[in-house]
């Protein structure tokens, strides 16, 4: 604890939650070391909403920190940002469930039920106050907006469930202000959202909560990071295509610009700290080198533990880096990272074509050096998911709008066996009739290939995009 976290050894209290040893000492230390809340009891009511959740029968319920005055049942309170007034129906504390009480006073933390009907009325950071003092009330500064680092598409499995999923997403965002949601749409997946998360774990927890708390079955697309691109110093290009911007943000492949307009691409970097037993150092170095990393300091914590620092592209971390790290170290490695600016890079857009038609949902932004490898992997996954059609299906991955394939494969069509019509008699013109039938079939399939559209099952999107 002293070496890793730089704690003062004299301040560490040894306890046992199992036996209760020294637990009273911990409680006394909390009182001694943590400052009490600054509160003014004899003042008009003012409180901060720091959390909230939705109840189907009572609306939005807000967790509040009362800093001035008091709040009790029957009182009228105001909301600063949305300008509404409410009658307090119930106040209480969490003990650990909701326990009603007569009033909450300055310095206390509790909840309030006041018939807030929509989730936006109880937004985190909102100021509640006494309406008669509106002219002099000073709102809280709220919370610092956290910027997402990972973005993914969110779509309902069934398009008819869009409205129900919209309500579920709004209610989940009620007590998770770090999630950024913007409407989006897809030709194959329908209406949905582009959602920003703090990381892949945050994204997985959000999806799991949608499933467990709202019984919502959703498609979350493969996560991507926020790339940036500097536009060439050309007024015509900047004004005509990019609203005069010198630098643009790329959140998904659909917004990937024309490479000829770009001076340089930038990708987010992360400073990674790995604590691991010393015998795994060589294995860790190999993993980080494969992830396009730059080696930093190596610090010896004790006789057995090392602290390794690397600088890696964030795009490499959000895929399966942590799973590989745990696997190659038998679970002994601990891992942490923080954002560390942007570096110049060379990235391209991989486009997937089915019989010459682009399927934007499967497009990816990848490093140019890894484009060939990523293309082969994508083609292999798509081939596994698309069933055989009545005609030939060609799967091809290209770079951007190029027609040159990085990787391609053909799914052979289903064929009808005409030989059974001849009942085993291939003499007397039998083979001629068979060849004629096969020739007609071939021409028919070529015509279907020109006119037909490859049907990609919804399950294919779910299976490929979730990997």
């Amino acid at each position: 604890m002293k070496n890793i976290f730089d704690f003062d050894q004299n301040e560490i209290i040894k306890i046992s939650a199992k036996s209760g040893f020294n637990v009273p000492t911990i409680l006394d230390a909390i009182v001694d070391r943590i400052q009490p809340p600054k509160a003014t009891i004899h003042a008009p009511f003012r409180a901060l909403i720091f959390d909230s959740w939705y109840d189907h029968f009572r609306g939005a319920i807000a967790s509040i920190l009362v800093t001035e005055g008091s709040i009790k049942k029957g009182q009228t309170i105001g909301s600063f940002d949305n300008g509404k007034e409410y009658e307090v129906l119930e106040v209480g504390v969490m003990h650990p469930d909701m326990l009603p009480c007569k009033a909450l006073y300055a310095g206390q933390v509790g909840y309030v039920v006041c018939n807030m009907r929509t989730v936006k009325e109880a937004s985190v950071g909102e100021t509640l106050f006494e309406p008669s003092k509106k002219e002099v009330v000073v709102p809280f500064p709220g919370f610092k907006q956290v910027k997402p680092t990972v973005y993914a598409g969110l779509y309902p499995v069934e398009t008819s469930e869009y409205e129900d999923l919209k309500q579920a997403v709004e209610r989940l965002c009620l007590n998770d202000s770090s999630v950024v949601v913007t409407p989006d749409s897809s030709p194959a997946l329908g209406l949905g959202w582009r959602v920003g998360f703090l990381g892949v774990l945050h994204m997985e927890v959000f999806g799991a909560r949608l499933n467990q708390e709202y019984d919502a079955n959703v498609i979350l697309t493969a996560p991507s990071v926020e790339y940036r691109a500097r536009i060439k110093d050309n007024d015509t290009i900047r004004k005509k295509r990019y609203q005069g911007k010198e630098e643009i943000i790329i959140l998904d492949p659909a917004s990937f610009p024309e490479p000829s307009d770009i001076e340089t691409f930038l990708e987010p970097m992360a400073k990674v700290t790995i604590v691991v037993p010393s015998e795994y150092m060589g294995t860790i170095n190999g993993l980080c080198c494969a992830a396009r990393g730059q080696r930093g300091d190596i610090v010896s914590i004790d006789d057995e533990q090392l602290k390794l620092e690397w600088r890696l592209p964030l795009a490499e971390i959000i895929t399966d880096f942590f799973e590989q790290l745990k696997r190659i170290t038998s679970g002994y490695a601990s891992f942490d990272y923080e954002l560390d600016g942007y570096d110049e890079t060379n990235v391209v857009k991989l486009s997937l074509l089915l019989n010459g038609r682009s399927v934007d949902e499967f497009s990816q932004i990848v490093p140019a050096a890894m484009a060939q490898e990523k293309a082969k992997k994508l083609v292999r996954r798509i081939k596994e998911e698309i069933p055989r059609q009545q005609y030939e299906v060609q799967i091809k991955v290209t770079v951007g709008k190029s027609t040159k394939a990085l990787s391609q494969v053909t799914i052979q069509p289903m064929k009808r066996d005409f030989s059974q019509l001849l009942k085993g008699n291939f003499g007397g013109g039998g083979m001629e009739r068979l060849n004629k039938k096969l020739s007609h079939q071939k021409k028919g399939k070529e015509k279907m290939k020109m006119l037909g559209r490859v049907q990609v099952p919804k399950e294919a999107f779910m299976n490929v995009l979730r990997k």
Side-chain angles (χ1 to χ4, degrees), residues 7 10 23 37 46 104 123 208 324 374 392 423 432 465:
F7 287 155
N10 297 321
V23 170
R46 190 170 69 123
L104 292 175
S123 58
Q324 291 185 56
K374 297 283 187 181
E392 179 182 278
K423 298 179 180 179
E432 184 179 343
L465 295 177

Side-chain angles (χ1 to χ4, degrees), residues 280-306:
Y280 292 107
M281 188 180 74
T283 311
I284 299 296
N285 289 343
L287 175 65
C288 293
C289 286
R292 301 184 288 134
Q294 305 165 17
R295 184 184 296 178
D297 296 335
I298 301 176
V299 179
S300 178
I301 297 174
D302 52 36
D303 294 339
E304 298 180 354
Q305 298 278 338
L306 293 176

Side-chain angles (χ1 to χ4, degrees), residues 26-176:
I26 284 287
L27 298 177
D28 292 338
I30 291 174
V31 175
D32 293 337
R33 300 183 191 180
I34 298 177
Q35 294 293 322
K38 295 180 180 179
T40 308
I41 295 179
H42 303 292
F45 166 72
R46 190 170 69 123
L48 170 71
I49 297 178
F50 64 88
D51 195 6
S52 55
W53 67 94
Y54 192 84
D55 185 279
H56 289 282
F57 302 102
R58 298 195 285 181
I61 300 175
S63 294
I64 60 172
L65 166 64
V66 184
T67 61
E68 297 172 9
S70 62
I71 180 174
K72 60 184 178 180
K73 182 178 179 180
Q75 181 178 335
T76 300
I77 60 173
S79 177
F80 190 85
D81 287 339
N82 59 38
K84 293 187 178 182
E85 294 187 3
Y86 307 95
E87 180 185 352
V88 178
L89 304 178
E90 179 181 311
V91 296
V93 295
M94 306 301 292
H95 192 268
D97 297 323
M98 295 169 64
L99 179 65
C101 60
K102 291 183 180 180
L104 292 175
Y105 297 93
Q108 288 187 302
V109 170
Y111 69 89
V112 58
V113 180
C114 55
N115 204 22
M116 291 182 174
R117 297 186 178 276
T118 65
V119 294
K120 293 182 179 179
E121 293 179 44
S123 58
V124 173
E126 175 67 283
T127 300
L128 301 179
F129 63 95
E130 188 175 313
S132 61
K133 305 294 182 181
K134 185 174 182 179
E135 292 77 12
V136 296
V137 69
V138 178
F140 292 100
F143 296 97
K144 182 180 179 181
Q145 189 68 30
V146 181
K147 190 173 182 181
T149 59
V150 172
Y151 295 83
L154 177 68
Y155 300 92
V157 173
E158 299 295 334
T159 53
S160 59
E161 298 173 354
Y162 174 78
E163 289 299 328
D164 292 338
L165 182 58
K166 181 180 178 181
Q167 278 192 352
V169 170
E170 287 179 350
R171 290 171 183 174
L172 265 190
C173 293
L174 177 65
N175 59 359
D176 193 349

Side-chain angles (χ1 to χ4, degrees), residues 337-375:
Y337 72 90
E338 60 183 18
L339 296 181
D340 193 29
Y342 280 77
D343 277 5
E344 292 188 7
T345 187
N346 183 15
V347 292
V348 295
K349 175 185 175 181
L350 291 185
S351 302
L352 183 118
L353 306 176
L354 294 179
N355 283 352
R357 291 178 176 172
S358 176
V359 183
D360 293 333
E361 290 74 19
F362 293 125
S363 298
Q364 298 179 3
I365 300 175
V366 301
M370 303 173 68
Q372 187 83 40
E373 177 188 345
K374 297 283 187 181

Side-chain angles (χ1 to χ4, degrees), residues 231-406:
I231 311 301
K232 286 183 177 178
D233 190 6
N234 184 310
D235 289 339
T236 303
I237 293 176
R238 289 179 178 178
K239 291 180 180 178
K240 187 176 181 180
R241 302 179 188 173
Y242 304 102
Q243 295 82 47
K245 296 179 181 177
E246 297 180 5
E247 185 175 285
I248 61 172
I249 294 174
I250 308 168
L251 298 180
D252 56 72
S255 58
F256 197 81
E258 190 66 38
S260 59
D261 296 342
I262 304 303
E263 182 179 313
T264 182
F265 287 100
L266 303 170
E267 69 174 338
M269 303 296 291
K271 184 180 179 181
V272 176
T273 303
I274 303 171
V275 178
V276 67
S278 55
E279 63 263 28
Y280 292 107
M281 188 180 74
T283 311
I284 299 296
N285 289 343
L287 175 65
C288 293
C289 286
R292 301 184 288 134
Q294 305 165 17
R295 184 184 296 178
D297 296 335
I298 301 176
V299 179
S300 178
I301 297 174
D302 52 36
D303 294 339
E304 298 180 354
Q305 298 278 338
L306 293 176
K307 184 171 76 171
L308 310 179
E309 292 185 355
W310 281 79
R311 194 165 183 267
L312 300 173
L314 183 61
E316 299 291 339
I317 296 175
I318 67 168
T319 50
D320 58 349
F321 182 84
F322 184 61
E323 287 77 7
Q324 291 185 56
L325 179 65
K326 286 295 185 183
R327 187 173 63 250
I328 65 176
T329 61
S330 302
Y332 285 108
S334 63
F335 163 77
D336 189 25
Y337 72 90
E338 60 183 18
L339 296 181
D340 193 29
Y342 280 77
D343 277 5
E344 292 188 7
T345 187
N346 183 15
V347 292
V348 295
K349 175 185 175 181
L350 291 185
S351 302
L352 183 118
L353 306 176
L354 294 179
N355 283 352
R357 291 178 176 172
S358 176
V359 183
D360 293 333
E361 290 74 19
F362 293 125
S363 298
Q364 298 179 3
I365 300 175
V366 301
M370 303 173 68
Q372 187 83 40
E373 177 188 345
K374 297 283 187 181
K376 289 180 180 179
K377 187 179 295 185
L378 181 59
V379 164
R380 185 173 67 250
R381 287 179 178 175
I382 299 296
K383 184 183 178 183
E384 293 172 356
E385 298 296 336
I386 294 181
R388 293 178 69 185
Q389 312 278 327
Q390 293 288 340
Y391 47 89
E392 179 182 278
V393 177
Q394 187 182 67
I395 305 171
K396 183 166 70 171
V397 174
T398 65
V399 173
K401 298 179 181 179
S402 171
T403 57
K404 183 179 179 181
L406 284 180

